[in-house]
Amino acid sequence: MTTENPIPKPADADKLGPLRGQVWLTLQTNQARRLIRGRNGTKEQSPIIGLGLFAERLRLIWQASRNGDPYADWWLIKVHEAIEEREALFLRLQRDLDERLTQMGSIEVAVAESERPYRMPLQFANPYAYQAARLLSTYDTLVCAALTAGHIGVLDRASRDHVIELGARKIRGLFMIPQGYRFLRIERSDIQKDNDKNTQAVQFMGVVPDDVLSGKRRAPMAPIQRHLSSGFSRNLGLHSAPSTPTTAPSSDENDDT
């Protein structure tokens, strides 16, 4: 009797494939949807940074932070703190609106929703971009509640518009934060040596705080750093900063506090 040799399995046959998933953002209001793309600047109007450009700029900062740029670490901290501050504000506003909507006696109020909501897939390179998208969704929910409260008369028009515009201004301000970062291929050693790169970085972005420079303080979701030698950014394919500061959108259109 003859026995057949078993067919050998490929070396990687038992290995699991990469994880794949899908993330979708669903919005009910035009006010929130407009904040996805933003607005191009004109002679009469300043540009408005949308979620897409925010995420793209944040991707560069994330890469630079991974490669040891202390200014990128600082900017991720700014983004993290701005998201937290806005989340707290939106929560307070939402609680106030919810209380008003429940003070209708025996009238039960269902917050308005779109018959055809806007739905888009999200595919970002870092968690803070997703957190910003979640904040935009929170703002969308707030707008629905404000419009409903105005429609049934528990909120006057001026108060309704104030809530909607305040939230939009805070979102725009968050999206503006990465625009203040300049990719200069700077490392901590450049700051310690106080060379030309450090001088340029201070000119564009100010003096990085000591606890950030030392690496003691980083954003909670900052990337694990690659401890590479000088010239780490050579193959990133990123663009360095222009030789002169760029013009930022006016504070009337963007609140970056």
Side-chain angles (χ1 to χ4, degrees):
M1 186 175 80
T2 60
T3 59
E4 295 182 359
N5 293 327
I7 299 175
K9 293 189 297 184
D12 60 349
D14 295 327
K15 291 184 179 180
L16 294 175
L19 294 175
R20 302 292 184 190
Q22 288 185 321
V23 181
W24 295 83
L25 172 64
T26 301
L27 299 176
Q28 307 290 333
T29 68
N30 288 322
Q31 289 86 345
R33 182 178 178 180
R34 283 195 292 266
L35 293 170
I36 293 177
R37 289 190 176 182
R39 183 183 71 197
N40 294 327
T42 65
K43 291 182 178 180
E44 293 78 21
Q45 293 179 318
S46 299
I48 293 178
I49 304 301
L51 176 63
L53 187 55
F54 166 84
E56 177 61 21
R57 187 68 182 177
L58 193 59
R59 180 182 66 84
L60 306 183
I61 297 174
W62 182 267
Q63 290 177 345
S65 173
R66 176 178 290 161
N67 290 294
D69 181 345
Y71 279 93
D73 282 347
W74 189 16
W75 251 255
L76 288 180
I77 291 171
K78 293 182 180 185
V79 169
H80 173 82
E81 292 178 345
I83 290 175
E84 284 198 329
E85 181 269 330
R86 284 152 175 80
E87 283 180 337
L89 171 63
F90 290 177
L91 179 60
R92 293 195 301 270
L93 294 173
Q94 187 68 53
R95 284 175 176 170
D96 177 67
L97 289 173
D98 289 344
E99 289 179 3
R100 290 173 180 268
L101 292 173
T102 57
Q103 294 174 356
M104 293 291 290
S106 59
I107 299 177
E108 183 177 344
V109 180
V111 175
E113 294 183 352
S114 174
E115 295 180 351
R116 293 187 303 276
Y118 175 74
R119 192 166 183 259
M120 66 173 289
L122 300 179
Q123 189 174 5
F124 298 135
N126 65 83
Y128 282 116
Y130 286 103
Q131 291 297 302
R134 181 173 61 86
L135 187 68
L136 182 58
S137 175
T138 302
Y139 169 68
D140 183 59
T141 301
L142 183 66
V143 173
C144 287
L147 292 174
T148 301
H151 180 71
I152 64 176
V154 299
L155 201 66
D156 62 71
R157 181 179 299 177
S159 299
R160 177 202 66 188
D161 293 347
H162 172 73
V163 170
I164 294 173
E165 179 52 35
L166 174 62
R169 190 168 68 248
K170 288 296 183 179
I171 294 288
R172 294 195 300 264
L174 169 65
F175 291 170
M176 271 297 299
I177 292 175
Q179 306 307 308
Y181 172 79
R182 297 292 182 269
F183 182 73
L184 300 172
R185 296 183 172 87
I186 191 167
E187 301 177 8
R188 284 175 166 82
S189 60
D190 295 312
I191 298 176
Q192 294 165 353
K193 296 174 184 176
D194 194 21
N195 58 20
D196 291 341
K197 284 186 179 180
N198 180 53
T199 300
Q200 191 178 20
V202 171
Q203 175 189 356
F204 280 104
M205 297 179 286
V207 178
V208 64
D210 290 339
D211 56 350
V212 177
L213 179 60
S214 68
K216 182 179 180 181
R217 181 164 66 108
R218 300 187 75 215
M221 292 184 288
I224 298 174
Q225 291 187 336
R226 300 170 182 165
H227 297 286
L228 303 181
S229 60
S230 180
F232 68 89
S233 57
R234 191 170 302 158
N235 297 318
L236 283 180
L238 308 183
H239 299 289
S240 59
S243 57
T244 57
T246 56
T247 302
S250 68
S251 59
D252 292 338
E253 295 290 351
N254 298 280
D255 168 26
D256 58 359
T257 58

